[in-house]
Amino acid sequence: MANKEKNFISAVVYVHNAGKRIEKFLNVVIEEMQKNFEHSEIICVNDCSDDDSAKIIKELSTKAPSTSISILNMSFFHGIELAMNAGVDLSIGDFVFEFDQVNLDFDTSEIMNVYRRALQGY
């Protein structure tokens, strides 16, 4: 896409022991962000995972030149709602996508469909 969207987009991703799924999920989100938006950030809220999720996220952050990837490490398990609220509080985007799981149970085109619908005022 030659003309990328100018709005700053944030994606908040809930992560809890998702080491086996996080790489595939983040690669898809990073690709969509870099393909469609000039400025974007991904905030991964690590809800006290005891696997290698944080390490994988750090490694992936070097592969995203135009998307900022941050990890918010929760000191103890908070659960989805509180963890996601913390991530949204840190986000600076004009629009915020919230992913409460790292399963790719949707078509990647839905990310832009949701964004376009939001621009219409929904």
Side-chain angles (χ1 to χ4, degrees), residues 35-81:
K35 181 172 62 173
N36 294 300
F37 300 101
E38 282 186 8
H39 308 286
S40 61
E41 70 174 347
I42 299 172
I43 299 171
C44 296
V45 183
N46 182 17
D47 196 9
C48 202
S49 295
D50 56 8
D51 65 357
D52 59 348
S53 299
K55 179 183 171 201
I56 294 169
I57 295 166
K58 288 177 187 176
E59 290 170 0
L60 286 174
S61 68
T62 62
K63 299 177 183 178
S66 65
T67 300
S68 168
I69 300 178
S70 306
I71 302 174
L72 172 58
N73 287 307
M74 306 301 276
S75 59
F76 60 90
F77 183 77
H78 286 78
I80 291 176
E81 189 171 340

Side-chain angles (χ1 to χ4, degrees), residues 3-14:
N3 295 324
K4 293 183 178 182
E5 293 290 327
K6 306 284 188 245
N7 285 317
F8 192 100
I9 300 299
S10 296
V12 177
V13 180
Y14 178 77

